[in-house]
mmCIF file with all atom_site columns, all heavy atoms in Angstrom:
data_model
loop_
_atom_site.group_PDB
_atom_site.id
_atom_site.type_symbol
_atom_site.label_atom_id
_atom_site.label_alt_id
_atom_site.label_comp_id
_atom_site.label_asym_id
_atom_site.label_entity_id
_atom_site.label_seq_id
_atom_site.pdbx_PDB_ins_code
_atom_site.Cartn_x
_atom_site.Cartn_y
_atom_site.Cartn_z
_atom_site.occupancy
_atom_site.B_iso_or_equiv
_atom_site.pdbx_formal_charge
_atom_site.auth_seq_id
_atom_site.auth_comp_id
_atom_site.auth_asym_id
_atom_site.auth_atom_id
_atom_site.pdbx_PDB_model_num
ATOM 1  N N   . ASN B 1 63 ? -6.656  3.229  -55.906 1.00 97.00 ? 63 ASN B N   1
ATOM 2  C CA  . ASN B 1 63 ? -7.335  2.859  -54.680 1.00 97.00 ? 63 ASN B CA  1
ATOM 3  C C   . ASN B 1 63 ? -6.705  3.519  -53.497 1.00 97.00 ? 63 ASN B C   1
ATOM 4  O O   . ASN B 1 63 ? -7.404  4.002  -52.584 1.00 97.00 ? 63 ASN B O   1
ATOM 5  C CB  . ASN B 1 63 ? -7.220  1.332  -54.535 1.00 97.00 ? 63 ASN B CB  1
ATOM 6  C CG  . ASN B 1 63 ? -8.554  0.661  -54.834 1.00 97.00 ? 63 ASN B CG  1
ATOM 7  O OD1 . ASN B 1 63 ? -9.497  1.295  -55.164 1.00 97.00 ? 63 ASN B OD1 1
ATOM 8  N ND2 . ASN B 1 63 ? -8.546  -0.680 -54.700 1.00 97.00 ? 63 ASN B ND2 1
ATOM 9  N N   . ARG B 1 64 ? -5.357  3.521  -53.433 1.00 97.00 ? 64 ARG B N   1
ATOM 10 C CA  . ARG B 1 64 ? -4.672  4.168  -52.324 1.00 97.00 ? 64 ARG B CA  1
ATOM 11 C C   . ARG B 1 64 ? -4.986  5.646  -52.274 1.00 97.00 ? 64 ARG B C   1
ATOM 12 O O   . ARG B 1 64 ? -5.330  6.183  -51.167 1.00 97.00 ? 64 ARG B O   1
ATOM 13 C CB  . ARG B 1 64 ? -3.144  3.966  -52.494 1.00 97.00 ? 64 ARG B CB  1
ATOM 14 C CG  . ARG B 1 64 ? -2.324  4.468  -51.309 1.00 97.00 ? 64 ARG B CG  1
ATOM 15 C CD  . ARG B 1 64 ? -0.828  4.408  -51.561 1.00 97.00 ? 64 ARG B CD  1
ATOM 16 N NE  . ARG B 1 64 ? -0.418  5.265  -52.609 1.00 97.00 ? 64 ARG B NE  1
ATOM 17 C CZ  . ARG B 1 64 ? -0.359  6.618  -52.534 1.00 97.00 ? 64 ARG B CZ  1
ATOM 18 N NH1 . ARG B 1 64 ? -0.712  7.192  -51.426 1.00 97.00 ? 64 ARG B NH1 1
ATOM 19 N NH2 . ARG B 1 64 ? 0.063   7.342  -53.563 1.00 97.00 ? 64 ARG B NH2 1
ATOM 20 N N   . ARG B 1 65 ? -5.037  6.321  -53.417 1.00 97.00 ? 65 ARG B N   1
ATOM 21 C CA  . ARG B 1 65 ? -5.329  7.748  -53.427 1.00 97.00 ? 65 ARG B CA  1
ATOM 22 C C   . ARG B 1 65 ? -6.781  7.961  -53.016 1.00 97.00 ? 65 ARG B C   1
ATOM 23 O O   . ARG B 1 65 ? -7.097  8.959  -52.317 1.00 97.00 ? 65 ARG B O   1
ATOM 24 C CB  . ARG B 1 65 ? -5.063  8.313  -54.789 1.00 97.00 ? 65 ARG B CB  1
ATOM 25 C CG  . ARG B 1 65 ? -3.613  8.441  -55.106 1.00 97.00 ? 65 ARG B CG  1
ATOM 26 C CD  . ARG B 1 65 ? -3.411  9.033  -56.509 1.00 97.00 ? 65 ARG B CD  1
ATOM 27 N NE  . ARG B 1 65 ? -2.022  9.255  -56.763 1.00 97.00 ? 65 ARG B NE  1
ATOM 28 C CZ  . ARG B 1 65 ? -1.559  9.805  -57.919 1.00 97.00 ? 65 ARG B CZ  1
ATOM 29 N NH1 . ARG B 1 65 ? -2.423  10.149 -58.839 1.00 97.00 ? 65 ARG B NH1 1
ATOM 30 N NH2 . ARG B 1 65 ? -0.258  9.974  -58.101 1.00 97.00 ? 65 ARG B NH2 1
ATOM 31 N N   . PHE B 1 66 ? -7.666  7.135  -53.478 1.00 98.00 ? 66 PHE B N   1
ATOM 32 C CA  . PHE B 1 66 ? -9.063  7.264  -53.138 1.00 98.00 ? 66 PHE B CA  1
ATOM 33 C C   . PHE B 1 66 ? -9.260  7.120  -51.647 1.00 98.00 ? 66 PHE B C   1
ATOM 34 O O   . PHE B 1 66 ? -10.000 7.856  -51.012 1.00 98.00 ? 66 PHE B O   1
ATOM 35 C CB  . PHE B 1 66 ? -9.930  6.261  -53.919 1.00 98.00 ? 66 PHE B CB  1
ATOM 36 C CG  . PHE B 1 66 ? -11.346 6.328  -53.685 1.00 98.00 ? 66 PHE B CG  1
ATOM 37 C CD1 . PHE B 1 66 ? -12.082 7.423  -54.179 1.00 98.00 ? 66 PHE B CD1 1
ATOM 38 C CD2 . PHE B 1 66 ? -12.000 5.379  -52.954 1.00 98.00 ? 66 PHE B CD2 1
ATOM 39 C CE1 . PHE B 1 66 ? -13.459 7.549  -53.930 1.00 98.00 ? 66 PHE B CE1 1
ATOM 40 C CE2 . PHE B 1 66 ? -13.398 5.492  -52.748 1.00 98.00 ? 66 PHE B CE2 1
ATOM 41 C CZ  . PHE B 1 66 ? -14.099 6.534  -53.180 1.00 98.00 ? 66 PHE B CZ  1
ATOM 42 N N   . GLU B 1 67 ? -8.635  6.085  -51.038 1.00 97.00 ? 67 GLU B N   1
ATOM 43 C CA  . GLU B 1 67 ? -8.710  5.881  -49.581 1.00 97.00 ? 67 GLU B CA  1
ATOM 44 C C   . GLU B 1 67 ? -8.169  7.038  -48.805 1.00 97.00 ? 67 GLU B C   1
ATOM 45 O O   . GLU B 1 67 ? -8.732  7.462  -47.801 1.00 97.00 ? 67 GLU B O   1
ATOM 46 C CB  . GLU B 1 67 ? -8.055  4.576  -49.191 1.00 97.00 ? 67 GLU B CB  1
ATOM 47 C CG  . GLU B 1 67 ? -8.831  3.305  -49.689 1.00 97.00 ? 67 GLU B CG  1
ATOM 48 C CD  . GLU B 1 67 ? -8.090  2.061  -49.459 1.00 97.00 ? 67 GLU B CD  1
ATOM 49 O OE1 . GLU B 1 67 ? -7.004  2.056  -48.862 1.00 97.00 ? 67 GLU B OE1 1
ATOM 50 O OE2 . GLU B 1 67 ? -8.675  1.006  -49.839 1.00 97.00 ? 67 GLU B OE2 1
ATOM 51 N N   . ALA B 1 68 ? -7.058  7.636  -49.309 1.00 97.00 ? 68 ALA B N   1
ATOM 52 C CA  . ALA B 1 68 ? -6.504  8.853  -48.654 1.00 97.00 ? 68 ALA B CA  1
ATOM 53 C C   . ALA B 1 68 ? -7.458  9.991  -48.752 1.00 97.00 ? 68 ALA B C   1
ATOM 54 O O   . ALA B 1 68 ? -7.671  10.736 -47.755 1.00 97.00 ? 68 ALA B O   1
ATOM 55 C CB  . ALA B 1 68 ? -5.195  9.184  -49.261 1.00 97.00 ? 68 ALA B CB  1
ATOM 56 N N   . LEU B 1 69 ? -8.087  10.172 -49.901 1.00 97.00 ? 69 LEU B N   1
ATOM 57 C CA  . LEU B 1 69 ? -9.075  11.189 -50.101 1.00 97.00 ? 69 LEU B CA  1
ATOM 58 C C   . LEU B 1 69 ? -10.278 11.062 -49.140 1.00 97.00 ? 69 LEU B C   1
ATOM 59 O O   . LEU B 1 69 ? -10.760 11.956 -48.522 1.00 97.00 ? 69 LEU B O   1
ATOM 60 C CB  . LEU B 1 69 ? -9.529  11.206 -51.550 1.00 97.00 ? 69 LEU B CB  1
ATOM 61 C CG  . LEU B 1 69 ? -10.515 12.369 -51.946 1.00 97.00 ? 69 LEU B CG  1
ATOM 62 C CD1 . LEU B 1 69 ? -9.903  13.734 -51.692 1.00 97.00 ? 69 LEU B CD1 1
ATOM 63 C CD2 . LEU B 1 69 ? -10.928 12.178 -53.402 1.00 97.00 ? 69 LEU B CD2 1
ATOM 64 N N   . LEU B 1 70 ? -10.754 9.804  -49.058 1.00 97.00 ? 70 LEU B N   1
ATOM 65 C CA  . LEU B 1 70 ? -11.860 9.505  -48.127 1.00 97.00 ? 70 LEU B CA  1
ATOM 66 C C   . LEU B 1 70 ? -11.468 9.851  -46.681 1.00 97.00 ? 70 LEU B C   1
ATOM 67 O O   . LEU B 1 70 ? -12.319 10.421 -45.944 1.00 97.00 ? 70 LEU B O   1
ATOM 68 C CB  . LEU B 1 70 ? -12.310 8.050  -48.238 1.00 97.00 ? 70 LEU B CB  1
ATOM 69 C CG  . LEU B 1 70 ? -13.143 7.676  -49.453 1.00 97.00 ? 70 LEU B CG  1
ATOM 70 C CD1 . LEU B 1 70 ? -13.435 6.171  -49.435 1.00 97.00 ? 70 LEU B CD1 1
ATOM 71 C CD2 . LEU B 1 70 ? -14.407 8.486  -49.556 1.00 97.00 ? 70 LEU B CD2 1
ATOM 72 N N   . ALA B 1 71 ? -10.257 9.507  -46.296 1.00 97.00 ? 71 ALA B N   1
ATOM 73 C CA  . ALA B 1 71 ? -9.836  9.770  -44.977 1.00 97.00 ? 71 ALA B CA  1
ATOM 74 C C   . ALA B 1 71 ? -9.790  11.302 -44.707 1.00 97.00 ? 71 ALA B C   1
ATOM 75 O O   . ALA B 1 71 ? -10.244 11.796 -43.685 1.00 97.00 ? 71 ALA B O   1
ATOM 76 C CB  . ALA B 1 71 ? -8.452  9.189  -44.697 1.00 97.00 ? 71 ALA B CB  1
ATOM 77 N N   . GLU B 1 72 ? -9.300  12.048 -45.688 1.00 98.00 ? 72 GLU B N   1
ATOM 78 C CA  . GLU B 1 72 ? -9.292  13.506 -45.575 1.00 98.00 ? 72 GLU B CA  1
ATOM 79 C C   . GLU B 1 72 ? -10.720 14.054 -45.493 1.00 98.00 ? 72 GLU B C   1
ATOM 80 O O   . GLU B 1 72 ? -10.977 14.997 -44.711 1.00 98.00 ? 72 GLU B O   1
ATOM 81 C CB  . GLU B 1 72 ? -8.623  14.172 -46.782 1.00 98.00 ? 72 GLU B CB  1
ATOM 82 C CG  . GLU B 1 72 ? -7.103  13.960 -46.773 1.00 98.00 ? 72 GLU B CG  1
ATOM 83 C CD  . GLU B 1 72 ? -6.410  14.619 -47.909 1.00 98.00 ? 72 GLU B CD  1
ATOM 84 O OE1 . GLU B 1 72 ? -6.824  15.705 -48.352 1.00 98.00 ? 72 GLU B OE1 1
ATOM 85 O OE2 . GLU B 1 72 ? -5.462  14.025 -48.445 1.00 98.00 ? 72 GLU B OE2 1
ATOM 86 N N   . ILE B 1 73 ? -11.613 13.500 -46.243 1.00 98.00 ? 73 ILE B N   1
ATOM 87 C CA  . ILE B 1 73 ? -12.980 13.945 -46.201 1.00 98.00 ? 73 ILE B CA  1
ATOM 88 C C   . ILE B 1 73 ? -13.621 13.699 -44.856 1.00 98.00 ? 73 ILE B C   1
ATOM 89 O O   . ILE B 1 73 ? -14.313 14.548 -44.273 1.00 98.00 ? 73 ILE B O   1
ATOM 90 C CB  . ILE B 1 73 ? -13.856 13.266 -47.310 1.00 98.00 ? 73 ILE B CB  1
ATOM 91 C CG1 . ILE B 1 73 ? -13.450 13.848 -48.698 1.00 98.00 ? 73 ILE B CG1 1
ATOM 92 C CG2 . ILE B 1 73 ? -15.361 13.438 -47.078 1.00 98.00 ? 73 ILE B CG2 1
ATOM 93 C CD1 . ILE B 1 73 ? -14.035 13.089 -49.859 1.00 98.00 ? 73 ILE B CD1 1
#
Side-chain angles (χ1 to χ4, degrees):
N63 256 359
R64 186 187 63 73
R65 288 181 176 180
F66 182 71
E67 288 173 2
L69 183 60
L70 284 178
E72 286 181 40
I73 289 172

